[in-house]
Amino acid sequence: MTTGTRTRLSPAERRSQLLDLGVRLLATRSVDELSIDMLAEEAGISRGLLYHYFGNKHDFHEAVVRRAADDLIAQTAPPASGDPIQRLAASMEAYLSYVENNYEGYLSLVKGAVGGNDTLRAIYDESRAALTDRIFSEDAQGLLIKDTAVTRLLVRSWSAMSEELVLAWVADPGDVTRERVLELLTSSLPALVAASGE
Amino acid sequence: MTTGTRTRLSPAERRSQLLDLGVRLLATRSVDELSIDMLAEEAGISRGLLYHYFGNKHDFHEAVVRRAADDLIAQTAPPASGDPIQRLAASMEAYLSYVENNYEGYLSLVKGAVGGNDTLRAIYDESRAALTDRIFSEDAQGLLIKDTAVTRLLVRSWSAMSEELVLAWVADPGDVTRERVLELLTSSLPALVAASGE
């Protein structure tokens, strides 16, 4: 460990550090608002060096959004063992925290993906698919939900519901507590599966 | 009633007829693909006359999308009386039919609204709010769902879920039957409300 403000990093480590900074900047601004100039200023390095790492603005945005999506998938991983509902609850708590902490960037990813930006769409679809697949792969015995064509459609729809619920609540919590939102997120999937009769 | 192919219509009737034609054209194309030229050709009238009715391309798109949203709200109105679940089922059947019959236009409305087109956003938000409010106004006694801050959030989220479910299924039905989709759409709201404990 080096404790100084300057550390000697490999190019890969330096690039990774810059991506983390880019993701942090997305907490309070949209992908479109994130510029190489801004990152250069925050990182205290030249624009030229940033272009060395990221090529052009499009590649820069893609790399930052991909890192943000990877962070979302990593942070929402359920605990390795435990009761299925408690594992789901832990994952949903992490999802809510992620959206709270990265609101502007996450919202711009959703908007850009649905609105027709092909790069954002691809990353969004991949991360949605990863999160959906995980519901099934983490529950390979089907304790919470069996893997059928109907439950696949249901989990995909429930993801859209969870996204709307969290984005709407973070934008305007009104009288609804955070704890209540977590209860709604966690109870909804088992309730939908039970109602479907699958 | 006039039975000939040419009827003498008032300007308001003529405009309304042209909007209906515009909505029909949205069944198989996006809002962006819908042009005044195309409508003129389909209607067999001059572009000049269409500009007389709709001003410019932006106003034309806005008028057609507004008509499409009004059609959606009108067509999905539940029957005036009956069992709450049966009324909900009838409304969801009409919603599914609407999306099936107007797929491209509806999809482009959703994409445009989420993607940042302000006009489409406003129309989309208004129709979403109208559909959501109707869940509560049609059930003023709270037989199906009480009106609380939590259930408002829940119904809004369930709308997003229903939209995703229907759009995903129409795009790729796989092994899931239409009847099964209707069951999922209708059973999901009561299940979510019951699970929420509201």
Side-chain angles (χ1 to χ4, degrees):
Chain A
M1 289 284 288
T2 312
T3 51
T5 51
R6 288 264 173 186
T7 55
R8 192 166 292 273
L9 298 173
S10 72
E13 288 169 328
R14 187 68 177 138
R15 188 173 187 278
S16 180
Q17 197 183 52
L18 291 167
L19 285 177
D20 283 341
L21 178 56
V23 171
R24 283 204 298 281
L25 293 174
L26 280 185
T28 51
R29 52 182 64 76
S30 72
V31 177
D32 283 344
E33 287 164 356
L34 182 66
S35 69
I36 286 194
D37 279 347
M38 184 187 293
L39 188 70
E41 190 177 330
E42 290 286 332
I45 63 176
S46 71
R47 295 177 70 230
L49 189 55
L50 272 178
Y51 278 111
H52 167 72
Y53 284 113
F54 298 111
N56 56 46
K57 188 180 168 175
H58 179 268
D59 291 351
F60 167 60
H61 280 169
E62 177 167 350
V64 174
V65 173
R66 204 167 277 281
R67 167 62 65 104
D70 289 346
D71 286 351
L72 170 62
I73 293 168
Q75 289 174 28
T76 56
S81 62
D83 173 70
I85 294 285
Q86 280 166 1
R87 296 176 75 215
L88 178 64
S91 186
M92 297 318 289
E93 204 287 326
Y95 174 63
L96 180 56
S97 294
Y98 182 89
V99 178
E100 287 175 314
N101 294 332
N102 301 277
Y103 181 72
E104 291 300 334
Y106 185 73
L107 185 64
S108 74
L109 170 62
V110 173
K111 283 184 176 180
V114 179
N117 178 316
D118 289 338
T119 301
L120 296 187
R121 174 94 230 166
I123 299 173
Y124 178 79
D125 283 349
E126 280 168 35
S127 58
R128 255 287 179 91
L131 295 171
T132 304
D133 287 346
R134 194 167 62 191
I135 294 280
F136 292 100
S137 63
E138 288 285 338
D139 180 29
Q141 295 176 287
L143 296 175
L144 198 63
I145 181 167
K146 288 207 179 74
D147 193 350
T148 70
V150 166
T151 57
R152 286 270 165 181
L153 195 58
L154 213 48
V155 167
R156 177 179 175 160
S157 311
W158 169 77
S159 295
M161 177 188 151
S162 301
E163 185 182 278
E164 176 74 19
L165 179 57
V166 168
L167 284 174
W169 181 77
V170 173
D172 179 16
D175 292 334
V176 183
T177 65
R178 189 176 192 277
E179 198 180 2
R180 200 77 186 85
V181 170
L182 285 173
E183 285 171 2
L184 296 174
L185 288 170
T186 307
S187 66
S188 51
L189 183 59
L192 290 168
V193 173
S196 77
E198 291 284 314
Chain B
M1 290 285 288
T2 311
T3 52
T5 50
R6 290 265 173 182
T7 54
R8 191 168 291 275
L9 300 172
S10 71
E13 287 169 330
R14 187 70 177 136
R15 189 173 187 277
S16 180
Q17 198 184 52
L18 290 167
L19 284 176
D20 283 341
L21 177 57
V23 170
R24 283 204 298 280
L25 293 173
L26 279 186
T28 51
R29 51 184 65 75
S30 73
V31 176
D32 283 344
E33 287 164 356
L34 183 66
S35 69
I36 286 193
D37 279 346
M38 184 186 295
L39 188 71
E41 190 177 329
E42 290 286 332
I45 62 176
S46 70
R47 295 178 70 229
L49 189 54
L50 273 178
Y51 278 110
H52 167 72
Y53 284 114
F54 298 112
N56 56 45
K57 188 180 168 175
H58 179 270
D59 290 353
F60 167 60
H61 280 169
E62 178 168 349
V64 174
V65 173
R66 203 168 277 281
R67 166 62 65 102
D70 289 346
D71 286 351
L72 170 62
I73 293 168
Q75 288 173 29
T76 56
S81 62
D83 173 70
I85 294 286
Q86 281 167 1
R87 297 176 74 215
L88 178 63
S91 186
M92 295 320 287
E93 204 287 327
Y95 174 63
L96 180 56
S97 294
Y98 181 89
V99 179
E100 287 175 316
N101 295 331
N102 301 277
Y103 181 71
E104 291 300 335
Y106 185 72
L107 185 64
S108 74
L109 169 62
V110 173
K111 283 184 175 180
V114 178
N117 177 316
D118 289 338
T119 302
L120 295 187
R121 175 93 229 165
I123 298 173
Y124 177 79
D125 283 348
E126 279 169 34
S127 58
R128 253 293 178 89
L131 295 171
T132 304
D133 287 346
R134 195 168 62 192
I135 294 280
F136 293 100
S137 63
E138 288 286 338
D139 180 31
Q141 293 176 288
L143 296 175
L144 198 63
I145 181 167
K146 288 206 179 74
D147 192 350
T148 70
V150 166
T151 58
R152 286 270 165 183
L153 196 57
L154 214 48
V155 167
R156 178 179 174 160
S157 312
W158 169 77
S159 296
M161 178 189 150
S162 302
E163 185 182 278
E164 177 74 19
L165 180 56
V166 168
L167 284 174
W169 181 77
V170 173
D172 179 15
D175 292 333
V176 184
T177 64
R178 187 175 194 277
E179 197 180 3
R180 200 77 186 86
V181 171
L182 284 173
E183 284 171 4
L184 296 173
L185 288 169
T186 307
S187 65
S188 51
L189 183 59
L192 290 168
V193 173
S196 78
E198 289 286 311

